[in-house]
Amino acid sequence: MEILRCSNLTKVYGNGSNEITALDHISLSLEKGSFTAVVGASGSGKSTLLHLLGGVDRPTGGSIYVEDTDISTLSIEQLAIFRRRKVGLVYQFYNLIPTLNVRKNILLPVLLDGQKPDEKRFSKIVETLGIAGRLSNLPRELSGGQQQRVAIARSLIYQPAILLADEPTGNLDRKNSQETIELLQMSNRQYDQTVLLITHDEKTALKADRILTMEDGKIVQDEVVS
Ligand code: ADP
């Protein structure tokens, strides 16, 4: 089943002589439960693609369907709700709220929505990610690897349509990097979670089912990993 589709997606930054085409008519379809890696040189458009698909930024042209909604037509308020409920974002620098403990950081999207947390799902996620014993700690009391686990837990709490990860291991040592990728793989398998992962590491990319290579704002290669 298709969970995300974009057609002729274009993003142009600046204007006049400063114009930069960061994405150049990208069309892409992602199946539910797929694990896709995006590779390419710095400046090839990877982060821009991820931000547009996650509703963090808006396209200059083209459409983006996530489930049945064209998110390129949503208002700013609708887009904020879409992001909270439908997109899990994991970044290199975790982006946790320093003054909130681990439990509140993970539940933040749900609390911002004024919803009651699903305690069963919460417990299962924190146990699986190995942070159940750290729920009342503040982010600064955790290691980098543990903070990234909290960020992954937060991204999974809402059963998002898609989990988008932008170089999630960029700030971690080898062991924690490997564990983080394994946790993303496990989320993919255990929750049938669709994952799109940006990485510059070939070995990491080979853990995905599919590798997209970007160059100058275009997808120049689309390979299935056997
Ligand atoms: P990657 O993630 O592959 O390194 P990016 O998507 O960050 O590539 O950037 C693609 C191109 O768009 C680059 O030329 C970059 O300089 C440009 N770019 C990205 N963000 C902005 C911005 N906010 N304003 C202007 N240019 C930008």
Side-chain angles (χ1 to χ4, degrees):
M1 185 184 95
E2 186 181 63
I3 196 135
L4 182 146
R5 173 163 42 93
C6 66
S7 307
N8 281 317
L9 195 61
T10 303
K11 180 70 181 179
V12 179
Y13 290 112
N15 44 39
S17 57
N18 292 324
E19 210 170 88
I20 292 174
T21 302
L23 288 186
D24 191 0
H25 297 88
I26 293 217
S27 297
L28 173 68
S29 163
L30 296 180
E31 288 290 305
K32 176 161 170 55
S34 58
F35 191 129
T36 307
V38 183
V39 300
S42 178
S44 57
K46 305 182 296 295
S47 296
T48 303
L49 176 64
L50 191 119
H51 285 148
L52 296 190
L53 298 183
V56 177
D57 200 359
R58 284 163 171 286
T60 310
S63 61
I64 308 164
Y65 281 87
V66 178
E67 293 173 338
D68 291 324
T69 307
D70 181 357
I71 64 165
S72 57
T73 63
L74 298 181
S75 68
I76 292 193
E77 292 77 21
Q78 288 170 322
L79 203 56
I81 295 170
F82 161 81
R83 265 199 313 271
R84 208 149 64 213
R85 295 184 182 165
K86 294 291 179 185
V87 185
L89 280 166
V90 179
Y91 289 107
Q92 181 174 354
F93 293 107
Y94 330 127
N95 289 22
L96 302 175
I97 308 282
T99 51
L100 295 183
N101 69 25
V102 166
R103 178 181 157 85
K104 286 194 176 142
N105 261 289
I106 296 171
L107 290 174
L108 194 62
V110 180
L111 299 174
L112 284 173
D113 246 1
Q115 303 279 333
K116 235 179 123 216
D118 177 344
E119 293 293 342
K120 243 172 131 178
R121 182 170 173 87
F122 174 81
S123 301
K124 179 136 189 269
I125 288 173
V126 294
E127 269 161 35
T128 314
L129 291 174
I131 45 177
R134 294 300 197 149
L135 299 181
S136 35
N137 287 92
L138 292 173
R140 66 162 183 272
E141 296 165 341
L142 306 183
S143 71
Q146 288 170 330
Q147 289 185 59
Q148 195 57 298
R149 287 161 186 255
V150 176
I152 294 173
R154 179 185 54 190
S155 78
L156 291 172
I157 198 72
Y158 244 129
Q159 295 182 273
I162 185 155
L163 194 165
L164 300 170
D166 193 349
E167 296 276 11
T169 63
N171 195 39
L172 298 174
D173 61 28
R174 244 178 88 101
K175 180 169 165 283
N176 276 302
S177 295
Q178 206 171 337
E179 282 177 11
T180 297
I181 297 300
E182 278 166 14
L183 290 170
L184 289 176
Q185 278 184 300
M186 193 206 60
S187 316
N188 168 247
R189 292 193 191 129
Q190 195 158 322
Y191 297 106
D192 199 29
Q193 176 64 57
T194 313
V195 177
L196 187 74
L197 163 78
I198 293 182
T199 179
H200 62 265
D201 183 52
E202 249 174 62
K203 259 199 193 151
T204 301
L206 287 169
K207 303 257 166 82
D209 321 318
R210 179 179 176 193
I211 303 178
L212 305 173
T213 308
M214 291 193 67
E215 208 176 284
D216 294 334
K218 293 191 172 82
I219 294 173
V220 292
Q221 203 168 19
D222 183 349
E223 301 161 280
V224 173
V225 181
S226 51

